[in-house]
Amino acid sequence: MALESKPNPLEEEHRDEDVEEEEEVDHDDDELARNPSAPPDYEFFEITTTVDPSYIISLIRKLIPIDSVTNRDSHGVNGCEDGGRGDGGLDPNQTVEESGNECEKMDIGDDSRGGEDKDTCRELVGEEVWEECGCVLWDLAASRTHAELMVQNLVLEVLMANLMVSQSARVTEICLGIIGNLACHEAPMQHIVSSNGLITTIVDQLFLDDTQCLAEACRLLTLGLQGNECSPWAEAVQSEHILSRIIWIAENTLNPQLLEKIVGLILATLESQQEASCTLVPSLMKLGLPSLLINLLDFEISRLTGERVPERYSVLDVILRAIEALSVLDGHSQDICSNKKLIQLVCGLVKLPDKAEVASSCVTVAVLIANILSDVPDIASEMSQDLQFLQGLLEVFPLASDDVEARSALWSIIARLLVQVRENDMSLSSLHQYVLVLASKSEIIEDDLLNQQLDNSREETKDLISSSSKSNTRSTALGRIVSILNQWTASKACLNGGDVTGEYAADDLNIGRLLDCCRKHIEFTK
């Protein structure tokens, strides 16, 4: 949808007008060939909309660029005989009416203005009207029925003509925004894919310097790569020249919105259908994608640990999602999973004291760390000694209460860490540190085990092998928790009620509850 909803005097004005039949205007065959076809009469379309179809058609016609009305330019789009303005805006002196191709004068206000001032006024009025019509269509395109009516009435041809001749960043942004909303619907997306040259024209907008235009272009390309017909979009961006531009924008933009959109586009290439991904990912890796993502993550986490900026939280999340997607790609996962800087950054995020504001990012990190440990299991030994990290992992469980996969990933990590713990060979002081962490988070562990029982009742028809694997991982972690707590209980008993018993008596209630809960769950899953 448009970034801002604007008042719409045009709709009000349209409701007050009487629809009159107009005489056909004779045109010679040559002129008809040069002018873009006007949208057909809405009566030929059996589409029910909440907005008068003739009004939508009138808006589309008012977007026809001046260069399309009177003469042809080098692209085959008509332009003014005197060269025109070339900005893709609506000429205030010419507009195509709803039921024909006849051009008539628009009221441009004060006729007392003369010369240059009058021309400037006309141009400004025209651009203002064009922008207002465009924003209305941008909003309407969010509705499937409106979107389908628009593409059937040649809105894509009109928007493409504007993109090819426009020198106005605002016009380009609105055109891309309208197409982006159209692309959210299946039938209009098929029209976009089948429109000759449109995808290429959209990709060309990546070489603009305007932030909002680039953001809308990225959003549109992302939708294309995420769709069922992603191959034409992947082919359009596969050249090294274009991929280098995408990397360059991600490296250099200071705008959070654009950074989120450009990394979202990179994420879409990583998650696209296999044939598209196989085309794009090798080139992106060659251009230094892993280093780019890790550097971006480093910057965002440094901002997070300093002065928190809520508008950057979504940026952090999409960067982590892109890294997580890269961590599971065959042939490329090692390039990201073995990076020591990445491991340090994600562990630091897990240990963050207040995670609620970046809950989604913490959930993504849990899955990412599980992937890293699958690829590089040797680092589990070092991680297991970081008790703050273990505590941070347990604190992520409530944030992932609705995400079964993330909770499974958390149990997988905890199992790998606790397997490294040698409780029988530890000093009482070291063992107590582990017990403190587990006992302090006993309620979180109990709540998750309860949620797991509910999940099992809902997932009876799901893949039994996958379910069994998750259950085994969780049982391994719980078995290690029971062993550590039992060792602590036995060690205290050997002290014959000395001072240590009094010092740690406060832990006994939580330890007892946690032991009981873990044992019951292990027995239940056998």
Side-chain angles (χ1 to χ4, degrees), residues 476-511:
T476 299
L478 294 176
R480 295 299 302 133
I481 291 174
V482 169
S483 179
I484 291 170
L485 296 181
N486 280 338
Q487 179 62 31
W488 169 248
T489 303
S491 298
K492 285 206 308 177
C494 290
L495 294 175
N496 298 319
D499 292 339
V500 175
T501 304
E503 181 181 350
Y504 301 124
D507 300 331
D508 289 346
L509 180 60
N510 286 339
I511 291 172

Side-chain angles (χ1 to χ4, degrees), residues 283-302:
S283 297
L284 288 171
M285 298 298 288
K286 181 181 175 182
L287 292 169
L289 178 60
S291 296
L292 166 68
L293 293 175
I294 292 170
N295 289 337
L296 291 175
L297 179 62
D298 188 12
F299 177 78
E300 294 302 324
I301 289 181
S302 68

Side-chain angles (χ1 to χ4, degrees), residues 11 13 43 58 71 125 132 159 200-201 229 303 383 439 478 488 492:
E11 185 173 5
E13 176 186 339
E43 292 178 359
S58 73
N71 195 18
V125 171
E132 193 162 3
L159 295 173
T200 301
T201 302
E229 299 183 52
R303 295 293 297 270
M383 285 182 169
L478 294 176
W488 169 248
K492 285 206 308 177

Side-chain angles (χ1 to χ4, degrees), residues 469-480:
S469 175
K470 294 174 185 177
S471 178
N472 289 338
T473 300
R474 187 178 297 103
S475 295
T476 299
L478 294 176
R480 295 299 302 133

